[in-house]
Amino acid sequence: MKTPLIFGREPAAWLALVSIIVKLAVAFGWDASAEVQANVNAVAAAAMGILIAVIVHDGLGAALIGLAQSGLALSLGYGLDWSAEKQVAAMALVTIVVAMWDRTQVTAPVPPEPIPARAQSNA
């Protein structure tokens, strides 16, 4: 199955774009409180996680990562004092754990071709 695209881009790319836009807007003068920033990112992450799950029909992994991003964003908005490095490390861990689990859930859409009998006897 080909990865579904939204306006020609993978859904995760759109979520990353929203997150970066929020960070840049604040860096360049948007006077948004930490809570407002967290809420914007939380809503975007949750919405994208759900959108991905709907598009791929079995995107539980993407929805879980979106949920983790929303939880982190909300935690930061309500006082969690983590540096950007800690946030990245935590989300990297969540992402790799979900990816490792997801890999065990994926099956090939077409079974492998059997090895011809002649090739087996030469092995």
Side-chain angles (χ1 to χ4, degrees):
M1 178 180 179
K2 186 177 176 185
T3 301
L5 303 177
I6 299 171
F7 299 115
R9 299 286 182 256
E10 292 182 349
W14 288 109
L15 181 57
L17 179 63
V18 170
S19 179
I20 295 300
I21 288 171
V22 169
K23 289 176 177 82
L24 284 172
V26 171
F28 285 95
W30 180 31
D31 188 25
S33 68
E35 185 175 353
V36 169
Q37 294 173 53
N39 288 335
V40 169
N41 282 320
V43 169
M48 189 57 70
I50 292 168
L51 179 61
I52 293 167
V54 168
I55 289 173
V56 299
H57 303 291
D58 64 348
L60 181 59
L64 291 171
I65 291 171
L67 179 62
Q69 288 175 328
S70 331
L72 178 58
L74 285 173
S75 297
L76 292 167
Y78 288 104
L80 180 65
D81 187 21
W82 277 7
S83 66
E85 291 81 13
K86 286 182 180 179
Q87 295 173 46
V88 168
M91 285 311 304
L93 176 65
V94 169
T95 302
I96 194 66
V97 168
V98 169
M100 290 175 70
W101 172 81
D102 222 11
R103 181 67 178 104
T104 65
Q105 307 305 308
V106 177
T107 57
V110 178
E113 293 184 28
I115 299 172
R118 183 175 179 175
Q120 287 177 348
S121 63
N122 292 337

